[in-house]
Amino acid sequence: MNSKKNKQQVCILGATGSIGVSTLDVIARHSDKYDVYALTAHTQVEKLAAQCAQFHPKVVVVGSATAADGLRQLLVASGQANIQIEFGAAALCAVASAPECDIVMAAIVGAAGLPASLAAAEAGKKVLLANKEALVMSGNLFMNAIKAHGASLLPIDSEHNAIFQCLPRSFDGQPDQHGVRKILLTASGGPFLYRDIQTLSSVTPEQAVAHPNWVMGRKISIDSATMMNKGLEVIEAHWLFNVPADRIDVVIHPQSVIHSMVSYNDGSVLAQLGNPDMRTPIAYGLAYPERIDSGVDALDLIKVGKLNFEAPDFNRFPCLALAYQALQTGGSAPTILNASNEIAVQAFLDGKIGFTMIPQVIEQSLQKIVVTEMTDLESILAADAEARSVATKLVSQ
């Protein structure tokens, strides 16, 4: 651990997103335990500058030279000229693997977060993984890097964090030896759970990002509306916990109070409950194996009153079915799934395609591209690039 005042040094990849903001909120409550070593953002330099004024990182990383120049002007104007400013993908990997850093919050959305997340794993860091795409794209490679370099991996997605909490402390990725029967991933169902399927083609981006329970970024909110988010989580759970696809069930739970469950051979089902606030899993990851105040109120079960559950409708949520298929196919299929989804979601947000065309773009991309084995980061990024190219052409058509 870094010796500076015995405080752990934290690098936040994606500091201006919802996870990054929530992480800084938790850190601010425990300034005796954590210091911010590095903050990164793509283009939101005003927000990043405000974070610098409060948390005084040693290094900040942005997406481009233009963004770096803009940030530098803001920091100089506010008397923070001593903060080191870098830009680009290589700089992200550098701060994630820096010797001064103890903990890396990997919260860059999408495939863009993979290289830096992998760099943190290869540097033996405590990796708090909020970027599910890293495991979707490179599950075997990423988990091998964690093991080979002595890194520790704590899932921050509320569902996987819940599963982690419900598994035995000694769990070593061998479910049968621990009596684990199934993983039960809960899903809210998003904003269109009960909307007439025939009207989904007319859904607007504003309607799709209006999640009933969680405050999230636009991309992940669309994924929640299509339930691709849950499909990606199925793939992530497979790699995190070494459980096959046929032992990972999705359960619709509209209240988002039970974050996920583990079913055991003796008939027991263990669940983790809490208010829908990402600060809870973030605080758990930061302090593990201890528990610290997250700023989230305790769950009031009397106020909640009822908890409902139902099976997902694959006709309503074809993206979930496509994710299961990609996991069972293996190889580059999950990478193709993720990349084509990112292209399709952005096209929908940009008004280029309708909501129900998102799964069509993904399905056609999976049909057009030959699935290959993923052996290293280069092959993963090549498959990602090919899928983006194919999906982009499909969108334009």
Side-chain angles (χ1 to χ4, degrees):
M1 184 190 300
N2 193 291
S3 61
K4 184 190 173 188
K5 300 179 183 178
N6 294 320
K7 293 197 280 189
Q8 297 201 5
Q9 303 295 307
V10 185
C11 167
I12 303 176
L13 304 173
T16 56
S18 60
I19 296 293
V21 169
S22 293
T23 302
L24 288 170
D25 182 271
V26 175
I27 288 173
R29 298 170 190 276
H30 301 280
S31 57
D32 59 323
K33 297 180 185 292
Y34 308 102
D35 265 336
V36 174
Y37 166 69
L39 297 174
T40 85
H42 191 55
T43 57
Q44 294 193 59
V45 292
E46 292 85 1
K47 194 171 182 179
L48 187 59
Q51 292 176 338
C52 289
Q54 182 178 358
F55 293 97
H56 312 292
K58 300 292 178 293
V59 190
V60 290
V61 180
V62 290
S64 66
T66 302
D69 288 340
L71 179 62
R72 186 173 293 105
Q73 292 173 23
L74 291 170
L75 294 184
V76 169
S78 60
Q80 301 178 84
N82 61 323
I83 296 176
Q84 181 181 340
I85 302 172
E86 304 288 347
F87 67 90
L92 285 177
C93 293
V95 293
S97 58
E100 300 92 331
C101 170
D102 301 306
I103 302 173
V104 176
M105 170 58 77
I108 296 174
V109 176
L114 172 59
S117 300
L118 190 59
E122 291 174 343
K125 304 301 181 185
K126 180 179 181 179
V127 182
L128 309 185
L129 190 66
N131 170 280
K132 62 178 64 67
E133 292 86 356
L135 278 178
V136 170
M137 294 173 64
S138 67
N140 195 47
L141 183 70
F142 195 91
M143 295 306 294
N144 285 343
I146 291 287
K147 294 169 189 171
H149 298 280
S152 56
L153 179 62
L154 287 149
I156 299 302
D157 267 352
S158 61
E159 296 82 358
H160 303 89
N161 191 271
I163 293 161
F164 184 84
Q165 294 190 49
C166 292
L167 287 168
R169 182 65 63 88
S170 61
F171 186 76
D172 56 2
Q174 300 182 65
D176 289 329
Q177 290 189 16
H178 294 271
V180 173
R181 188 178 70 89
K182 276 197 172 185
I183 298 295
L184 305 175
L185 273 174
T186 57
S188 70
F192 307 133
L193 180 59
Y194 300 116
R195 179 168 171 148
D196 183 350
I197 293 179
Q198 302 304 318
T199 69
L200 289 177
S201 59
S202 62
V203 159
T204 66
E206 289 67 33
Q207 291 171 325
V209 300
H211 195 280
N213 301 332
W214 295 94
V215 177
M216 305 180 292
R218 287 171 69 80
K219 191 268 181 184
I220 195 172
S221 295
I222 300 300
D223 283 349
S224 181
T226 65
M227 274 190 74
M228 176 56 87
N229 196 44
K230 203 56 49 180
L232 298 177
E233 287 173 9
V234 168
I235 300 171
E236 184 181 8
H238 161 73
W239 289 112
L240 280 171
F241 309 115
N242 195 31
V243 176
D246 61 1
R247 288 168 66 176
I248 305 172
D249 286 354
V250 172
V251 179
I252 300 286
H253 167 52
Q255 291 86 2
S256 296
V257 168
I258 294 178
H259 297 304
S260 274
M261 299 169 274
V262 176
S263 173
Y264 288 88
N265 290 335
D266 63 2
S268 300
V269 176
L270 300 187
Q272 187 265 338
L273 289 73
N275 287 313
D277 191 314
M278 286 305 297
R279 290 177 298 174
T280 298
I282 289 166
Y284 184 83
L286 278 169
Y288 180 82
E290 300 174 8
R291 289 184 186 264
I292 58 175
D293 174 37
S294 66
V296 180
D297 291 336
L299 180 67
D300 185 341
L301 285 170
I302 305 303
K303 188 176 180 180
V304 171
K306 293 181 180 179
L307 301 175
N308 300 97
F309 308 94
E310 58 187 90
D313 177 356
F314 288 104
N315 291 320
R316 178 178 293 276
F317 300 114
C319 284
L320 180 58
L322 290 169
Y324 268 106
Q325 291 169 21
L327 175 57
Q328 289 164 336
T329 300
S332 60
T335 300
I336 298 165
L337 174 94
N338 178 69
S340 57
N341 176 64
E342 287 190 23
I343 295 297
V345 167
Q346 190 58 53
F348 168 66
L349 287 170
D350 292 342
K352 295 177 181 176
I353 63 172
F355 182 76
T356 53
M357 293 176 70
I358 294 173
Q360 294 176 29
V361 170
I362 298 164
E363 184 172 22
Q364 289 178 42
S365 297
L366 284 164
Q367 290 171 349
K368 286 177 177 290
I369 301 170
V370 176
V371 173
T372 58
E373 288 305 310
M374 300 283 91
T375 55
D376 52 29
L377 182 59
E378 288 70 29
S379 60
I380 292 165
L381 295 178
D384 177 79
E386 182 184 7
R388 288 173 192 278
S389 175
V390 169
T392 300
K393 289 175 184 174
L394 288 168
V395 164
S396 67
Q397 293 169 6

